[in-house]
């Protein structure tokens, strides 16, 4: 059993815990495919969604996941809450705790914010992305998508190309995939590679060709225009030409390779439109896997809350 109050980062999870999350996510997916969207694992529980940054996929899939499990769901947009009046994160957490919330699902621009919240509230905290740090449920849904295609993650070559420096998805995938036996190769302009990521196990490549050669998974990452400082690369057109993935480069990957992207995509920048819409693309499967993974995370955290009552 996942013995945790919170799910904050894959850096904290063991291989066994990740395997359990993926197994339960597989079960949840079977429920969804069978049209079973009124489960009762979280009946009588409340989940509050607290997003300090924009989102389409993560926010909606957490909401659907909690509702499909039978929870009551509250949505708080930071701009319309007392945060806008200067309330601190810890005080917001205490307020939500006093209302007997069972789960707080938070996205925040500051890395580490969910750790602070988790330490100060009784509710279970789920990190829906914290700054440039981690996005654990995104990496779990990415791993579920890979596992469904390949059967296992052991020995896979996963090539990640794009804005790695600003990417919480890259870090969570690096932590999770290595624990599950995959190898993570990375390629980006030097200015978009975080210092020391090779010390965490990433295999840094000196060309797109080296990254893509015999890859099982080709994962593009969004160029995060909102987090760029001037000068990381000359222009989006030049990024696309010299660092993006096109159909010709894709042919270097294994015949059974798949294309992934966490979204939102800058179409024609990190991946060409043809690559995004390619028959090997699993981008829409990733979105569907997202609901199942978030159902699994909520169910397992709830099981532990019940067990420790
Ligand atoms: N992948 C991802 O986190 O997408 P959103 O920003 O739309 O949630």
């Amino acid at each position: 059993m996942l013995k945790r109050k919170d799910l904050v980062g894959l850096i904290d999870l063991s291989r066994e815990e990740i395997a359990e999350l993926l197994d339960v996510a597989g079960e949840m997916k079977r429920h969804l495919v069978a049209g079973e969207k009124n489960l009762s694992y979280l009946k009588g529980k409340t989940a509050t969604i607290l997003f300090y940054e924009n989102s389409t996929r993560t926010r909606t899939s957490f909401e659907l996941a909690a509702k499909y499990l039978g929870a009551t769901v509250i949505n708080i947009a930071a701009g319309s809450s007392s945060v806008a009046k200067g309330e601190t994160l810890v005080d917001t957490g205490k307020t939500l705790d006093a209302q007997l919330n069972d789960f707080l699902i938070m996205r925040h621009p500051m890395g580490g914010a969910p750790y602070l919240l988790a330490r100060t509230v009784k509710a279970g905290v789920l990190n829906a992305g914290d700054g440039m740090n981690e996005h654990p449920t995104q990496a779990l849904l990415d791993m579920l998508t890979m596992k469904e295609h390949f059967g296992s993650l052991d020995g896979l070559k996963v090539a990640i190309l794009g804005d790695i420096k600003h990417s919480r998805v890259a870090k969570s995938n690096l932590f999770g995939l290595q624990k599950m036996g995959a190898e993570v190769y990375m390629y980006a302009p030097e200015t978009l590679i975080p210092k020391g990521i090779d010390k965490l196990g990433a295999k840094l490549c000196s060309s797109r060709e080296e990254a893509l050669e015999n890859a099982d998974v080709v994962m593009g990452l969004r160029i995060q225009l909102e987090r760029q400082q001037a000068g990381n690369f000359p222009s989006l057109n030049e990024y696309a030409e010299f660092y993006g993935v096109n159909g010709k480069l894709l042919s270097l990957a294994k015949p059974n390779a798949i294309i992934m992207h966490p979204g939102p995509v800058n179409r024609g920048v990190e991946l060409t439109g043809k690559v995004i819409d390619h028959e090997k693309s699993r981008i829409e499967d990733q979105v569907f896997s997202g609901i199942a993974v978030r159902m699994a995370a909520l169910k397992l955290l709830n099981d532990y809350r019940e067990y420790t009552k």
Side-chain angles (χ1 to χ4, degrees):
M1 183 200 283
L2 192 75
K3 293 195 177 77
R4 296 184 173 274
K5 176 176 100 55
D6 314 291
L7 176 58
V8 180
L10 292 195
I11 196 166
D12 306 321
L13 265 56
S14 66
R15 177 182 170 110
E16 291 69 32
E17 287 176 302
I18 293 173
E20 185 183 16
L21 278 157
L22 297 181
D23 284 347
V24 175
E27 282 170 33
M28 293 299 152
K29 211 169 205 184
R30 286 189 282 282
H31 282 302
L32 292 177
V33 169
E36 294 161 9
K37 297 179 180 173
N38 55 353
L39 305 172
S40 53
Y41 294 111
L42 259 67
K43 197 165 187 300
K45 302 297 168 76
T46 307
T48 290
I49 299 177
L50 181 62
F51 271 44
Y52 293 77
E53 269 188 2
N54 295 339
S55 167
T56 298
R57 281 147 280 265
T58 313
R59 199 195 58 70
T60 51
S61 61
F62 262 120
E63 180 164 352
L64 289 172
K67 285 182 170 166
Y68 291 165
L69 294 173
T72 299
V73 181
I74 308 290
N75 263 290
I76 302 179
S80 62
S81 72
S82 290
V83 168
K85 300 178 194 165
E87 186 171 65
T88 66
L89 178 60
V90 169
D91 285 339
T92 301
K94 283 181 182 163
T95 303
L96 297 173
D97 240 9
Q99 293 175 335
L100 304 183
N101 274 287
D102 297 287
F103 298 103
L104 303 181
I105 299 162
M106 187 178 72
R107 171 169 287 191
H108 199 282
M110 302 298 290
Y115 282 97
L116 176 63
L117 188 67
R119 270 209 329 256
T120 48
V121 296
K122 292 192 197 81
V125 173
L126 293 100
N127 179 8
D130 61 325
M132 300 192 288
N133 182 41
E134 279 222 45
H135 193 347
T137 56
Q138 176 67 46
L140 288 166
L141 75 87
D142 292 340
M143 288 191 275
L144 179 64
T145 306
M146 293 178 212
K147 189 180 162 212
E148 284 176 344
H149 183 77
F150 296 106
S152 162
L153 301 171
D154 254 322
L156 293 183
K157 174 177 177 178
V158 180
I160 301 183
L161 298 95
D163 185 352
I164 295 162
K165 179 177 177 180
H166 299 101
S167 176
R168 50 200 177 207
V169 177
K171 284 164 206 106
S172 285
N173 265 302
L174 179 62
F175 299 137
L177 282 165
Q178 289 186 105
K179 286 175 185 176
M180 301 312 287
E183 291 192 310
V184 181
Y185 290 71
M186 293 182 169
Y187 180 68
E190 269 182 44
T191 46
L192 292 182
I193 297 277
K195 299 272 172 287
I197 196 136
D198 50 333
K199 307 272 188 312
L200 298 174
K203 297 179 190 314
L204 298 183
C205 300
S206 50
S207 67
R208 286 177 289 191
E209 287 77 4
E210 186 187 346
L212 294 170
E213 182 96 54
N214 285 322
D216 296 287
V217 178
V218 177
M219 185 185 293
L221 294 179
R222 186 172 68 90
I223 301 301
Q224 298 195 27
L225 299 170
E226 73 280 20
R227 294 193 221 268
Q228 299 292 338
Q229 289 153 358
N232 280 332
F233 53 88
S235 68
L236 286 181
N237 283 345
E238 280 156 306
Y239 181 91
E241 185 173 344
F242 296 106
Y243 298 99
V245 177
N246 56 36
K248 187 164 172 241
L249 287 158
L250 189 62
S251 64
L252 295 169
K254 284 186 184 160
N256 191 31
I258 56 172
I259 301 155
M260 298 178 67
H261 193 299
V265 181
N266 293 314
R267 195 168 264 271
V269 180
E270 53 269 6
L271 305 177
T272 61
K274 226 170 149 180
V275 169
I276 293 166
D277 301 327
H278 199 280
E279 60 182 7
K280 293 173 188 281
S281 172
R282 292 293 177 275
I283 296 172
E284 285 177 20
D285 294 339
Q286 288 174 263
V287 175
F288 186 47
S289 291
I291 305 173
V293 154
R294 287 160 184 140
M295 288 170 78
L298 284 163
K299 180 193 180 297
L300 288 171
L301 293 182
N302 190 56
D303 288 350
Y304 185 60
R305 283 174 80 74
E306 293 295 312
Y307 175 73
T308 52
K309 245 181 185 172

